[in-house]
Amino acid sequence: MAAYRRAQQLLLLTLVSFCIFCNVRGFKTQNNAMANVPVDPPNPPGMKAAPRDVPVAAASQPRRTTGWKLAEEEACREDLSRLCPKHTWTNNLAVLECLQDRKEETELAADCNHLLWNYKLNLTMDPKFESVATEVCRSTLSEIKECNEEERGKGFLVSCLVDHRTNISEYQCNQYITKMTSIIFSDYRLICGFMDKCKEDINSMHCGSVNVGQKDVHSQGKVIGCLEKALVREAEQEVQTNPIKEDCKKAIMRVAELSSDDFHLDRYLYFSCREDRERFCENTQAGEGKVYKCLFNHKFEEAMSEKCRDALTTRQKLIAQDYRVSYSLAKACKADLRKQHCNLENNLPRAREARLSYLLLCLESAVHRGRMVSGECQGEMLDYRRMLMEDFSLSPEIVLHCRGEIETHCSGLHRKGRTLHCLMKVGRGDRSATVENLCQNALQNLVQSADPGADYRIDRALNEACESVIQTACKHIRSGDPMILSCLMEHLYTEKMVGDCEHRLLELQYFISRDWKLDPILYLKCEGDAARLCHTRGWNETSELMPPGAVFSCLYRHAYRTEEQGRRLGPENYLSRDCKVEVQRILHQRALDVKLEPELQRRCMTDLGKWCSEKTDTGQELECLQDHLEDLMPACREVVGNLTELESEDIQIDALLIRACEPIIQAHCHDVADNQVDTGDLMECLVQNKHQKEMNEKCAVGVTHFQLVQMKDFHFSYKFKMACKEDVLKLCPNIKKKVDVVICLSTTVKNDTLQEAKEQRVALKCRKQLRVEELEMSEDIRLEPELYDSCKNDISHLCSNVAFGNAQMIECLKENKKQLTSRCHQRVFRLQEVEMSDPELDYQLMRVCKQMIKRFCTEADARNVLQCLKQNKNSELMDPKCKQMITKRQITQNTDYRLNPVLRKACRADIPKFCQPVLNKASDDTELEGRVISCLKLKYADQRLSPDCEDQIRVILQESALDYRLDPQLQMHCTDEISRLCAEEAAAQEQTGQVEECLKVNLLKIRQDACKKEVLNILKESKADIFVDPVLHTACALDLKHHCAAIPPGRGRQMSCLMEALQDKRVRLQPECKKRLQDRIDMWSYAAKVAPAEGFSDLAMQVMTSPSKNYILFMIAVGVCVLFLVVSWRARLHRIIWTTAQKSFPAETKHRQFN
């Protein structure tokens, strides 16, 4: 304690000496003077503070003439030597600055923290120290009376001078206060009055500790950062749970304002952005807010740290609440605000005077009205308007009212204005379904505040997307001119336009089109006309009677009033010439959304308002009218129908679709696109190439939409109409819908083919085009309305994540066939019947196997394509994806014989003969789960099928023997057993019969009787043909070639040959073949025991296919001979006995004969 008091006395004595020295010599160098200011050293940890009367008694104590040094204190010596250059050790303020501005991850000792805190506190609160400030700033205090009147000893004097530092002209005082500012702002508790006003809010917001030592006192800038975040968050919340007190709000904003010129003073931002400042703004001098602006400009750079970006966003949000938080903006626009009376008006919407949006609206109004606003101020306004467009979160209204839309549609798109443009894109849809009115209004207000129509560069997303277009199409217009947007609209669908620019431009134009003032050229030319005819008010004022969106409609009505009303009016009711030109320009640009068709716009105005009022996106108006074709008024329906017919003949009329489909046209359809007369070829080409890699989503959607529209009327398909109009009139009169016409004509062609009519009723050119239409319809389930309507619920339940088109939805329904509702299942089954009989209509098969069809099946008939692919399935040249698709179709075919046209034809006599009981249990539109084919397999083993049917069943047996999935009954009954016993074999990518082999080997381990029965059937079938047993066939391939080459396959002949060779000791079989054959004999023996013959025919078959057939037959022959001899001997013996009896008893015999 004594040592501490001696140090304190020395320091205070040094203060007195220093004050005398300052009076005599003045303040030569600010740093040296500040370094030698004596202060009370801190209490050592665990000791109480010394009483205030100690310095007085210490005046007579010995002291060091050099003054007290922080570097000499033991508490900070280690941190000082580790963190600070040696040349700073003699300067207390240099040491303080070094230690408090250290790297964030570097920790100070607790005792050193405590020491530094008390040192700074005494700097601001010690009366002796305030006397230094009084001496240095004597003339300044006489000018700033409120600081001169502050109570001494509480730190108010220095804080007040910091508060008014911008008004200090005295050099030494300015330098002194500038240095003190960095000290004060390093801790919120040193800021005058801040602690008193915000103590409760700090505690309620859990923003930090007010007790010395509980936290690192040099990171107390985080407390202010926390309060600033709470303040901006409060503005973004509709319900405020713990609102910040008004006095604290003002204190927070005042602190932010005071720290606006030098980013070092915002301690939280300084520590958060220290490395980013070195990275991006190394050459930017601190002061006048320059570092802030530099960091703002790099906010969305990839290299910017998230912590710094977050701190910058918080500061920008404070600027949005009070423009004075931006030093450069407040300074540049101070005179203009006063000149334009922006601080006097109180009736402007949405904001207080200090709000950034208020300032922008007021000054933008002056600019739009042609009033003078300084270039420096306009430059600052441009920066902050761009800032608002780049980051939606700076607008509390958007954060508050568009939160749901952002989370649903626009998450993850925060940077460079992409979220705002995403919201604009969503806003172009149906407001009631996608964007709430409050969110729509918030977007509209933001666009008005930022006013991007006056300078496209404000919208960074638009600027970046359209830079190349502007450089080529609009290079003759001065950069930043409002006519740039108009130029972009004029080139909207030309070759110079790029896709991203098109999207961003239309998103912005959606909101500009809803407020006539946001087109500055229109406003400039029509301001007087709008005030005279539409009773509008100022640029930034609104009227409930004439909302912004209604003004252009008013101008439009007056521009065409004579034509509409059919009578002459006075000149006062006309628009001025300049205004009328601008109105026509806007109408011309907006007509792009209705395919540049004036007649369509004129006749369909009512229907557009009724059905398509919210469909303002590019091209949506005509699409909407086409979708509601049946609901339109007659005049509108006629023109829409005519235009749709015309588009079907020459799709290049649809500029939007052509622009979107440019890549696919250049890659695949450039030949037909270059033709002067289209005649529907280009659309047909687009449909055929809809799923090429060059196809983009927008083009695909447009082509599909046109296909769906074509379903409404066959006249909308130009080529189909021209090829089949006579046949339609003759065979399908009074049918209008295209799908019904296709069904009608297809049915006619089918019936004529089945009945083998001498002459087809449908003309050849119509049949060819009809084929094209059928193939197109197979690509999208929506193009088959009956199937689509029947399966809508199933689609939403089972295939909700599957996209339409490319037959993906149909494939999904097929894969989930067992889970479909009855109605949908029937439709899908019928569709599969048609596709199996005509594989060309199987879109997925034809798409996936397109190259393989060219390779293997060029000469095959279209209806035999699948059969051809099946035959070449195991070729080394077969594409794996195509092979997988073929397997899928084989699995489908094996579920029901009706899905295999070749089998159905070959076995048309055998099926009712042998499998009628199975047919009796089945319905027309449900699969038989392979039961009929299983029935035929058993008869094949019994060798009872007709030759044609036997050939087809042999093929099926061979295929299913390699892949167990092709046997529906086996898969149905043995799924659990396969998972339990043969999981490894089933998981193999290539199926080679190993699963069936596994089941055969583990026959004794199979628990389920149904599965065991199926495996026994397989064993039975394998006796009939060795090809049905791929493992055995592979093992015995050489032996078959050497010993059984002359034996034809089938009916067990080759199997018998191998069995005879096995029994013949003279023949040496391959070891593997011998082992496999012996295994089969054991299996067959077991099968015979488990499943005895069910009848004589089954018994005969077992004998004929038995390995001991010859022995059995020999024994049967011996038995028959023995039986014959016994019977013969018995008969002979009977005759001998009878003859002897007659001779022995002749009289008796005669008597018996007589009787």
Side-chain angles (χ1 to χ4, degrees):
M1 178 67 75
Y4 168 73
R5 290 183 178 178
R6 282 196 300 272
Q8 190 178 45
Q9 291 166 3
L10 284 172
L11 290 172
L12 290 176
L13 188 59
T14 304
L15 172 63
V16 175
S17 301
F18 179 75
C19 292
I20 296 172
F21 177 76
C22 289
N23 287 332
V24 177
R25 299 291 303 274
F27 228 75
K28 289 184 179 180
T29 59
Q30 187 268 341
N31 278 342
N32 288 334
M34 291 295 298
N36 291 314
V37 173
V39 296
D40 293 338
N43 297 323
M47 300 182 66
K48 296 183 180 180
R52 274 295 179 189
D53 58 351
V54 172
V56 178
S60 62
Q61 297 289 335
R63 60 180 177 84
R64 291 174 291 179
T65 56
T66 55
W68 179 77
K69 301 294 184 185
L70 278 172
E72 296 175 356
E73 290 298 318
E74 185 178 354
C76 290
R77 192 171 299 161
E78 182 181 349
D79 294 314
L80 188 67
S81 61
R82 180 166 50 92
L83 301 172
C84 300
K86 194 168 185 178
H87 69 269
T88 63
W89 293 4
T90 59
N91 188 318
N92 284 350
L93 289 182
V95 170
L96 177 63
E97 186 173 10
C98 169
L99 292 177
Q100 74 177 12
D101 290 350
R102 72 194 185 282
K103 292 185 177 180
E104 189 173 8
E105 64 272 11
T106 306
E107 296 291 339
L108 293 181
D111 291 347
C112 186
N113 264 333
H114 197 170
L115 178 77
L116 295 177
W117 158 252
N118 282 281
Y119 176 72
K120 292 188 295 181
L121 186 64
N122 290 337
L123 278 178
T124 59
M125 298 187 66
D126 196 301
K128 305 293 188 299
F129 180 81
E130 286 188 347
S131 65
V132 176
T134 304
E135 182 64 30
V136 174
C137 299
R138 182 181 301 170
S139 59
T140 300
L141 288 174
S142 63
E143 296 174 1
I144 307 176
K145 295 182 179 180
E146 59 183 286
C147 293
N148 198 27
E149 295 172 357
E150 290 287 357
E151 183 179 355
R152 300 297 191 265
K154 294 186 177 181
F156 290 174
L157 174 61
V158 176
S159 294
C160 181
L161 288 172
V162 169
D163 204 1
H164 292 81
R165 70 187 187 281
T166 55
N167 297 324
I168 297 176
S169 57
E170 189 176 358
Y171 176 75
Q172 290 182 344
C173 181
N174 186 60
Q175 293 293 306
Y176 169 75
I177 294 300
T178 299
K179 198 66 179 178
M180 285 302 302
T181 301
S182 64
I183 297 173
I184 290 175
F185 275 87
S186 67
D187 197 300
Y188 72 95
R189 289 169 290 184
L190 302 181
I191 300 172
C192 178
F194 186 88
M195 185 62 200
D196 295 334
K197 295 176 182 177
C198 292
K199 181 177 180 180
E200 294 181 9
D201 295 293
I202 291 173
N203 290 327
S204 64
M205 299 293 174
H206 302 286
C207 284
S209 170
V210 296
N211 296 321
V212 178
Q214 288 188 11
K215 283 194 171 185
D216 177 5
V217 296
H218 301 285
S219 64
Q220 289 296 316
K222 292 183 179 179
V223 176
I224 296 179
C226 175
L227 288 173
E228 289 175 344
K229 287 184 177 181
L231 181 62
V232 298
R233 188 167 57 246
E234 182 177 304
E236 298 168 356
Q237 294 176 346
E238 191 169 0
V239 179
Q240 300 168 4
T241 53
N242 294 312
I244 301 175
K245 294 188 301 182
E246 285 299 323
D247 288 345
C248 184
K249 287 182 181 178
K250 293 178 182 178
I252 294 170
M253 298 304 293
R254 184 59 177 157
V255 168
E257 181 184 347
L258 291 174
S259 61
S260 62
D261 65 332
D262 189 347
F263 95 111
H264 291 87
L265 306 182
D266 188 333
R267 304 302 292 173
Y268 178 72
L269 188 143
Y270 169 74
F271 279 112
S272 299
C273 298
R274 185 161 44 183
E275 294 181 358
D276 297 280
R277 188 268 171 96
E278 295 299 323
R279 186 180 300 115
F280 297 110
C281 310
E282 182 181 4
N283 299 323
T284 304
Q285 295 182 350
E288 298 184 351
K290 293 178 181 178
V291 176
Y292 286 124
K293 291 190 69 174
C294 175
L295 290 172
F296 288 160
N297 291 334
H298 293 88
K299 175 180 167 182
F300 291 118
E301 297 287 342
E302 293 294 334
M304 175 70 72
S305 66
E306 286 296 329
K307 189 173 183 181
C308 180
R309 187 179 292 120
D310 181 63
L312 291 172
T313 299
T314 300
R315 185 152 195 97
Q316 288 178 319
K317 290 181 178 180
L318 293 174
I319 294 173
Q321 292 194 30
D322 190 339
Y323 72 89
R324 290 170 295 192
V325 177
S326 170
Y327 180 88
S328 57
L329 180 64
K331 180 181 178 182
C333 295
K334 185 176 181 180
D336 294 288
L337 289 169
R338 190 183 305 111
K339 182 179 179 181
Q340 304 302 333
H341 306 287
C342 292
N343 295 328
L344 302 177
E345 301 180 19
N346 296 316
N347 60 341
L348 296 186
R350 303 183 315 281
R352 301 189 305 272
E353 291 180 4
R355 289 291 295 271
L356 176 64
S357 57
Y358 184 99
L359 174 146
L360 293 175
L361 286 169
C362 181
L363 294 179
E364 285 164 10
S365 176
V367 173
H368 281 294
R369 290 174 176 176
R371 298 176 184 175
M372 279 297 298
V373 175
S374 67
E376 186 181 3
C377 179
Q378 288 198 49
E380 289 293 328
M381 288 171 59
L382 184 67
D383 289 339
Y384 284 97
R385 286 156 60 193
R386 183 185 293 114
M387 182 182 76
L388 289 175
M389 289 294 292
E390 282 186 355
D391 192 344
F392 77 95
S393 66
L394 305 185
S395 171
E397 292 84 0
I398 289 183
V399 175
L400 175 60
H401 300 305
C402 299
R403 185 176 286 110
E405 288 78 3
I406 292 172
E407 291 177 355
T408 304
H409 303 287
C410 308
S411 59
L413 300 172
H414 184 72
R415 301 180 179 182
K416 300 181 182 179
R418 285 180 288 185
T419 300
L420 184 60
H421 269 275
C422 175
L423 287 172
M424 290 178 175
K425 183 177 181 179
V426 176
R428 297 201 317 267
D430 184 6
R431 293 185 195 174
S432 61
T434 56
V435 175
E436 297 291 339
N437 287 334
L438 290 175
C439 178
Q440 193 84 8
N441 293 337
L443 289 169
Q444 193 71 46
N445 293 336
L446 176 63
V447 173
Q448 185 178 8
S449 298
D451 193 20
D455 191 338
Y456 73 94
R457 296 173 299 178
I458 292 169
D459 190 339
R460 183 173 177 177
L462 175 69
N463 188 15
E464 291 181 357
C466 297
E467 184 177 4
S468 60
V469 182
I470 294 170
Q471 293 299 324
T472 55
C474 309
K475 59 183 179 182
H476 60 286
I477 304 176
R478 177 179 57 85
S479 179
D481 193 288
M483 286 304 294
I484 291 286
L485 281 182
S486 183
C487 173
L488 290 174
M489 288 296 293
E490 290 172 2
H491 290 85
L492 188 57
Y493 300 126
T494 65
E495 295 179 354
K496 295 181 179 180
M497 180 58 65
V498 295
D500 285 345
C501 177
E502 185 176 287
H503 294 314
R504 303 294 87 77
L505 179 62
L506 290 170
E507 288 159 6
L508 179 61
Q509 283 292 343
Y510 174 83
F511 288 90
I512 291 179
S513 66
R514 273 148 182 76
D515 190 343
W516 72 290
K517 303 187 298 293
L518 298 182
D519 187 309
I521 306 300
L522 177 68
Y523 180 77
L524 182 65
K525 300 294 184 181
C526 296
E527 180 188 7
D529 298 270
R532 174 168 52 87
L533 300 172
C534 306
H535 310 290
T536 59
R537 299 181 183 178
W539 186 88
N540 55 341
E541 296 178 346
T542 58
S543 169
E544 293 182 0
L545 297 177
M546 187 58 65
V551 174
F552 185 77
S553 297
C554 172
L555 294 173
Y556 168 79
R557 288 195 301 270
H558 284 86
Y560 296 93
R561 173 165 281 187
T562 303
E563 291 80 356
E564 290 182 0
Q565 295 190 354
R567 56 190 178 88
R568 292 185 62 83
L569 299 171
E572 68 279 1
N573 292 303
Y574 289 103
L575 296 182
S576 63
R577 182 176 180 179
D578 290 344
C579 179
K580 186 172 183 178
V581 169
E582 292 305 314
V583 170
Q584 290 175 336
R585 174 179 65 86
I586 298 297
L587 281 175
H588 175 72
Q589 293 175 0
R590 293 186 185 180
L592 295 173
D593 286 341
V594 287
K595 307 296 184 295
L596 306 174
E597 180 56 51
E599 186 179 4
L600 179 69
Q601 187 178 17
R602 180 175 63 84
R603 292 194 185 186
C604 296
M605 193 64 67
T606 302
D607 290 293
L608 281 169
K610 182 177 181 180
W611 304 106
C612 313
S613 58
E614 301 300 329
K615 301 291 186 180
T616 55
D617 198 0
T618 310
Q620 283 189 338
E621 292 91 343
L622 181 58
E623 291 180 0
C624 173
L625 292 172
Q626 291 170 334
D627 291 338
H628 292 88
L629 187 65
E630 297 87 353
D631 304 316
L632 302 180
M633 297 176 65
C636 180
R637 189 188 311 130
E638 180 185 0
V639 68
V640 172
N642 292 338
L643 181 58
T644 308
E645 277 196 67
L646 192 59
E647 283 185 349
S648 72
E649 181 179 355
D650 186 2
I651 194 60
Q652 298 191 52
I653 293 174
D654 189 342
L656 171 65
L657 184 61
I658 294 302
R659 178 68 187 88
C661 297
E662 188 65 27
I664 195 73
I665 291 174
Q666 292 299 325
H668 300 280
C669 307
H670 60 275
D671 293 337
V672 293
D674 294 339
N675 294 338
Q676 293 183 350
V677 181
D678 185 2
T679 64
D681 293 324
L682 181 54
M683 175 52 73
E684 187 174 290
C685 177
L686 289 174
V687 171
Q688 292 172 352
N689 293 280
K690 193 162 66 169
H691 299 288
Q692 295 290 345
K693 62 181 181 180
E694 294 84 2
M695 176 64 70
N696 57 68
E697 182 181 1
K698 188 174 181 181
C699 178
V701 169
V703 172
T704 301
H705 177 266
F706 198 80
Q707 288 180 282
L708 294 173
V709 171
Q710 287 179 327
M711 293 293 108
K712 296 177 181 290
D713 193 328
F714 79 94
H715 293 93
F716 295 163
S717 299
Y718 179 78
K719 298 190 75 172
F720 182 57
K721 176 186 68 175
M722 298 305 294
C724 297
K725 58 183 178 181
E726 296 179 359
D727 299 285
V728 172
L729 290 173
K730 180 176 63 175
L731 302 170
C732 311
N734 304 322
I735 299 179
K736 187 176 182 180
K737 289 186 176 181
K738 178 181 175 181
V739 62
D740 295 333
V741 171
V742 170
I743 292 174
C744 172
L745 294 176
S746 298
T747 304
T748 303
V749 173
K750 180 180 178 181
N751 291 336
D752 289 347
T753 303
L754 293 176
Q755 295 171 9
E756 299 180 355
K758 294 182 179 180
E759 184 176 351
Q760 288 276 355
R761 287 175 287 174
V762 179
L764 178 60
K765 63 177 182 180
C766 180
R767 293 202 302 272
K768 289 182 178 179
Q769 191 59 37
L770 181 63
R771 188 67 174 171
V772 173
E773 301 299 331
E774 288 177 330
L775 294 175
E776 290 181 4
M777 289 169 62
S778 67
E779 182 268 336
D780 195 323
I781 192 173
R782 293 172 296 181
L783 301 178
E784 298 192 42
E786 289 189 5
L787 176 61
Y788 182 53
D789 292 341
S790 300
C791 295
K792 274 186 178 179
N793 294 333
D794 300 271
I795 289 171
S796 61
H797 176 60
L798 300 171
C799 308
S800 57
N801 297 325
V802 179
F804 287 101
N806 216 6
Q808 294 178 92
M809 191 65 71
I810 295 175
E811 195 67 20
C812 175
L813 293 174
K814 291 177 183 177
E815 291 174 357
N816 294 278
K817 192 163 55 174
K818 292 183 179 180
Q819 304 175 50
L820 299 179
T821 58
S822 176
R823 185 183 174 200
C824 178
H825 191 284
Q826 291 176 5
R827 291 288 181 185
V828 172
F829 182 80
R830 292 177 188 174
L831 174 66
Q832 288 181 315
E833 267 195 287
V834 173
E835 289 179 347
M836 292 301 178
S837 62
D838 190 353
E840 262 195 326
L841 300 180
D842 188 340
Y843 187 88
Q844 278 280 30
L845 176 69
M846 301 303 290
R847 182 183 69 85
V848 174
C849 297
K850 184 177 181 180
Q851 297 302 322
M852 297 300 101
I853 293 172
K854 290 181 179 179
R855 174 173 291 173
F856 296 112
C857 309
T858 51
E859 298 181 0
D861 184 76
R863 296 182 180 274
N864 296 325
V865 167
L866 180 57
Q867 193 71 14
C868 169
L869 290 172
K870 286 161 61 176
Q871 292 170 358
N872 294 277
K873 173 184 171 182
N874 296 318
S875 169
E876 294 180 356
L877 300 176
M878 177 59 69
D879 176 63
K881 291 183 178 179
C882 179
K883 186 175 183 179
Q884 185 179 7
M885 181 59 65
I886 297 169
T887 301
K888 282 185 178 182
R889 295 301 179 258
Q890 286 179 297
I891 293 172
T892 300
Q893 283 190 328
N894 289 353
T895 59
D896 197 306
Y897 76 98
R898 291 170 292 184
L899 300 179
N900 190 334
V902 178
L903 176 68
R904 187 175 186 177
K905 182 179 180 181
C907 299
R908 59 180 178 270
D910 300 84
I911 291 173
K913 179 179 179 181
F914 298 113
C915 308
Q916 190 62 44
V918 178
L919 297 178
N920 294 337
K921 298 178 182 179
S923 59
D924 292 337
D925 299 314
T926 57
E927 285 87 350
L928 298 170
E929 298 297 343
R931 289 191 292 272
V932 170
I933 295 178
S934 294
C935 168
L936 294 174
K937 286 179 181 178
L938 293 175
K939 301 308 173 186
Y940 172 83
D942 294 340
Q943 302 178 3
R944 299 172 64 183
L945 298 179
S946 62
D948 291 343
C949 185
E950 187 177 88
D951 291 341
Q952 293 302 315
I953 293 298
R954 183 186 303 113
V955 171
I956 293 176
L957 283 170
Q958 291 170 359
E959 292 170 347
S960 59
L962 290 170
D963 192 341
Y964 76 100
R965 296 172 298 175
L966 301 183
D967 188 336
Q969 288 291 303
L970 179 67
Q971 194 172 16
M972 179 190 302
H973 296 304
C974 295
T975 300
D976 295 338
E977 300 292 351
I978 290 172
S979 300
R980 184 171 63 87
L981 301 172
C982 312
E984 185 176 347
E985 290 81 356
Q989 188 174 3
E990 190 74 19
Q991 293 295 327
T992 58
Q994 294 301 321
V995 174
E996 288 194 359
E997 183 67 15
C998 172
L999 290 173
K1000 293 174 186 176
V1001 172
N1002 293 282
L1003 181 61
L1004 297 176
K1005 299 179 182 180
I1006 296 176
R1007 300 169 184 171
Q1008 298 179 8
D1009 293 338
C1011 178
K1012 185 176 291 186
K1013 182 179 178 182
E1014 290 299 323
V1015 176
L1016 291 172
N1017 287 339
I1018 293 173
L1019 288 170
K1020 181 178 178 181
E1021 293 158 6
S1022 65
K1023 289 183 180 182
D1025 199 330
I1026 194 172
F1027 288 99
V1028 179
D1029 192 336
V1031 175
L1032 180 62
H1033 183 264
T1034 302
C1036 297
L1038 289 175
D1039 296 295
L1040 282 171
K1041 185 177 181 181
H1042 292 158
H1043 306 298
C1044 308
I1047 309 284
R1051 298 185 179 271
R1053 289 185 286 263
Q1054 289 187 338
M1055 186 69 76
S1056 298
C1057 174
L1058 286 175
M1059 290 300 177
E1060 291 173 0
L1062 179 65
Q1063 294 174 359
D1064 191 344
K1065 295 181 179 180
R1066 296 171 298 174
V1067 177
R1068 297 185 62 182
L1069 298 177
Q1070 296 290 326
E1072 183 66 18
C1073 177
K1074 188 174 182 179
K1075 178 179 178 300
R1076 292 291 181 183
L1077 279 172
Q1078 193 59 53
D1079 290 342
R1080 293 302 182 269
I1081 292 172
D1082 296 339
M1083 291 179 186
W1084 291 329
S1085 299
Y1086 175 76
K1089 296 176 183 178
V1090 175
E1094 297 178 358
F1096 180 77
S1097 60
D1098 197 8
L1099 177 62
M1101 185 60 194
Q1102 287 190 12
V1103 171
M1104 294 304 294
T1105 57
S1106 171
S1108 305
K1109 179 182 71 173
N1110 294 336
Y1111 175 75
I1112 294 173
L1113 291 176
F1114 173 75
M1115 293 304 297
I1116 291 174
V1118 170
V1120 170
C1121 291
V1122 170
L1123 181 62
F1124 176 77
L1125 290 174
V1126 170
V1127 172
S1128 300
W1129 177 79
R1130 185 178 178 182
R1132 185 176 180 182
L1133 182 61
H1134 185 270
R1135 284 197 298 272
I1136 293 172
I1137 294 173
W1138 176 261
T1139 305
T1140 304
Q1142 283 183 335
K1143 290 180 179 180
S1144 302
F1145 308 100
E1148 186 180 350
T1149 304
K1150 290 181 180 179
H1151 176 74
R1152 288 179 181 173
Q1153 289 177 349
F1154 178 78
N1155 290 335

